[in-house]
Amino acid sequence: MSAAVRVFVPRDSAALAVGADEVAAALQAEAARRGLSIEIVRNGSRGLFWLETLVEVATPAGRVAYGPVMPEDVPSLLDAGLLSGGAHPLHQGLTEAIPFLARQERLSFRRMGVTDPLSLADYEALEGWAGLRAALALDGATIVQQVLDSGLRGRGGAAFPTGIKWKTVLAAEASQKYIACNADEGDSGSYADRMVMEGDPYMLIEGMVIAGLAVGATRGYVYIRSEYPQAIAVMNEAIARATAAGFLGENVCGSGRAFTLEVRKGAGSYVCGEETAMLESLEGKRGVVRAKPPLPAIEGLFGKPTVINNVLSFAAVPLVLSRGPAFYRDYGVGRSRGTLPFQLAGNIKQGGLVEKAFGLSLRELLIDFGGGTASGRPIKAVQVGGPLGSYLPESQWDLPLDYEAYAAAGAVLGHGGIVVHDDTADMAKLARYAMEFCAIESCGKCTPCRIGSTRGVEVIDRIRGNQNREQQVTLLRDLCDTMTHGSLCAMGGMTPFPVLSALNHYPQDFGLAESEAAKP
Ligand SMILES: Cc1cc2nc3c(=O)[nH]c(=O)nc-3n(C[C@H](O)[C@H](O)[C@H](O)COP(=O)(O)O)c2cc1C
Ligand code: SF4
């Protein structure tokens, strides 16, 4: 009997949402009915979401892709010779040659969709644990230095140098230190953290163990938003398997060093992603922002020194250790080193994950990768960096995607989430939504955010209703100024970014003359 043909059907939430389980079941049943021998592997997603469910078949020439596959396509796919990569309307050719994928620079996402996420053998075969093994031969200060030398900056939004944070925790004297992973991922259009947890969970575990070795922490927590049940399940299973295999626990890889890891389910609020509110939530309290200082690196979880990093920050670390900091640092521009997994979402034809070195332009992402809008209409505005990010008009799409260039233009890269709107978008309505979002999600600790956002909604309503419009615009700018400078955290402090960018770039949507754009 000939060997079973390997057929890959993703188990990522994005694929499950469009029927991947049903496709897998249909393939299994139809192959059995025809006496065909197949082995279905539930891989992670390649991040080509418009092609989900993306089915791949292992052929001697490489993996061949078909998508988007629905359960009812299965008989015709098998008729067409799916198992040997045969021609079919859904045939996409060799997966690695699909332009959306071929043009990327996948470092952190290099295993994404390639492996069975929970297979330790798959992970090990593709450079898994190489960073951890390298780290085990080094002292904490040397690991920290390598992370510093890589130029890695926090991928959660604030872009703070990861190595400096680790250095502070390393230097802190304490009986117990912690590693906390921020997997709250509340940003609109953002899903890279989820993909890592569902599609390559051992990479996150490895990055966190390395952080523990670097700073002398023996316990870690992954704070995952409750809306990610699949990620929570996969992470729990991966932690159990990694512990059984000796990569976690009291004696990591036989080194005599301890590191244990637990998942904590988030409390369902955007502000719980703010690092100090996350600490409160991890401690079982209401997610309210803490005043700084003290920094979490000095007094964090349960009052102990704590490294807090985003999923993508930890995920970049194994490669830095296995290939050396210079390898990572060689990607990128200016002070933005390495790659960022950009996430294309909203009204976009080809939505998905694009990992590229910093420095490309938004236009390249929107057009070359995204293929323009899904509606076929012109793109009007693009919100980069989550709900607190600015709206960018076409005149700004050629800026290099790097932290400093964006800051200079009054925008942020944040976590790399990109939400596209076509020319039917009403920017005054979106500005109102930004204020309303802040009012709903505010933790309530400080007045500019708690009260300011509610007043902001009212002021925008008056502008839209043409009640003393000019005067209300002045009031809105004044209010935004107060929120920017008087808020305790970036929730209230950055809500003016979407509001003012909408007002400044699209004054006509607020019933103002174009000349109003010149008055920011
Ligand atoms: C309102 C608000 C929400 C945030 N949400 C997240 C989040 O979901 N995930 C995240 O990693 N960082 C989030 N941050 C940023 C964190 O406070 C913090 O900077 C980050 O977790 C640090 O990790 P990094 O240095 O690896 O980026 C948020 C910040 C604010 C103000
Ligand atoms: S800005 Fe908003 S979310 Fe942040 S501390 Fe103040 S009230 Fe809380």
Side-chain angles (χ1 to χ4, degrees), residues 271 289 438 441-447 449-450 487-493:
V271 83
V289 172
C438 183
E441 299 294 336
S442 168
C443 84
K445 184 150 175 165
C446 66
T447 314
C449 169
R450 176 169 45 87
S487 297
L488 186 58
C489 84
M491 179 80 221

Side-chain angles (χ1 to χ4, degrees), residues 154-158 165 182 184-186 270 273-275 308-310 313 489-491:
R155 302 294 192 236
K165 198 180 273 185
N182 191 340
D184 200 45
E185 197 164 55
Y270 182 70
E274 193 283 334
E275 57 183 9
I308 304 171
N309 277 125
N310 172 252
S313 312
C489 84
M491 179 80 221

Side-chain angles (χ1 to χ4, degrees), residues 7-12 14-16 18-21 23-24 27 40-57 63-70 73 77 82 90-96 98 100-101 106 112-114:
V7 181
F8 297 81
V9 184
R11 52 181 292 168
D12 177 279
L16 295 178
V18 291
D21 277 347
V23 170
L27 273 164
I40 294 187
V41 180
R42 301 306 299 268
N43 56 335
S45 171
R46 297 275 193 166
L48 285 63
F49 289 157
W50 78 101
L51 291 177
E52 294 290 6
T53 298
L54 185 84
V55 172
E56 292 176 78
V57 180
R63 276 159 68 164
V64 175
Y66 295 84
V69 176
M70 306 288 281
D73 296 321
L77 281 165
L82 170 89
L90 299 180
H91 181 268
Q92 302 290 337
L94 288 173
T95 314
E96 305 279 352
I98 296 174
F100 188 91
L101 206 50
R106 288 201 163 181
M112 193 61 61
V114 177

Side-chain angles (χ1 to χ4, degrees), residues 133-427:
R133 292 200 172 100
L136 281 166
L138 305 172
D139 63 13
T142 310
I143 301 173
V144 169
Q145 193 59 47
Q146 295 215 358
V147 174
L148 264 174
D149 292 345
S150 73
L152 177 66
R153 291 163 72 180
R155 302 294 192 236
F160 187 81
T162 304
I164 292 183
K165 198 180 273 185
W166 290 22
K167 199 171 178 175
T168 310
V169 179
L170 172 64
E173 297 279 345
S175 54
Q176 177 71 57
K177 298 179 187 178
Y178 294 105
I179 307 296
C181 175
N182 191 340
D184 200 45
E185 197 164 55
D187 281 3
S188 37
S190 200
Y191 45 78
D193 295 350
R194 181 185 61 67
M195 287 185 73
V196 167
M197 293 185 286
E198 293 181 6
D200 202 5
Y202 298 124
M203 173 170 62
L204 174 57
I205 293 173
E206 185 178 354
M208 291 185 72
V209 182
I210 294 170
L213 294 173
V215 305
T218 54
R219 292 186 74 88
Y221 295 94
V222 190
Y223 185 85
I224 309 179
R225 63 181 317 188
S226 58
E227 294 86 345
Y228 282 176
Q230 181 74 2
I232 291 172
V234 176
M235 279 307 298
N236 274 323
E237 179 61 24
I239 289 170
R241 292 190 191 191
T243 305
F247 295 105
L248 285 170
E250 295 308 316
N251 186 13
V252 172
C253 296
S255 65
R257 309 283 300 274
F259 192 77
T260 56
L261 198 52
E262 281 177 56
V263 168
R264 285 284 180 274
K265 192 154 100 173
S269 149
Y270 182 70
V271 83
C272 281
E274 193 283 334
E275 57 183 9
T276 61
M278 182 189 82
L279 293 176
E280 290 285 300
S281 184
L282 272 173
E283 291 179 11
K285 302 176 200 151
R286 199 178 130 201
V288 175
V289 172
R290 295 179 186 170
K292 289 187 257 187
L295 291 172
I298 308 288
E299 271 182 50
L301 190 60
F302 304 113
K304 301 294 184 194
T306 305
V307 166
I308 304 171
N309 277 125
N310 172 252
V311 172
L312 299 178
S313 312
F314 285 122
V317 167
L319 193 81
V320 168
L321 269 291
S322 67
R323 298 204 197 168
F327 173 83
Y328 194 75
R329 204 190 169 84
D330 275 352
Y331 289 84
V333 288
R335 290 180 49 227
S336 305
R337 309 311 313 176
T339 57
L340 188 62
F342 296 98
Q343 300 128 77
L344 285 175
N347 190 341
I348 188 90
K349 196 168 162 199
Q350 299 185 156
L353 193 290
V354 180
E355 183 175 359
K356 281 290 277 182
F358 291 95
L360 81 162
S361 70
L362 191 55
R363 194 183 297 277
E364 284 173 83
L365 280 179
L366 298 172
I367 309 300
D368 300 353
F369 286 94
T373 60
S375 62
R377 302 182 65 93
I379 301 174
K380 176 170 178 176
V382 186
Q383 190 175 30
V384 180
L388 309 177
S390 292
Y391 287 102
L392 281 85
E394 184 166 5
S395 58
Q396 294 185 321
W397 296 350
D398 296 308
L399 286 172
L401 284 154
D402 107 76
Y403 294 119
E404 279 63 41
Y406 264 56
V412 290
L413 288 190
H415 184 52
I418 292 170
V419 179
V420 181
H421 297 268
D422 74 11
D423 62 350
T424 60
D426 174 346
M427 301 309 293

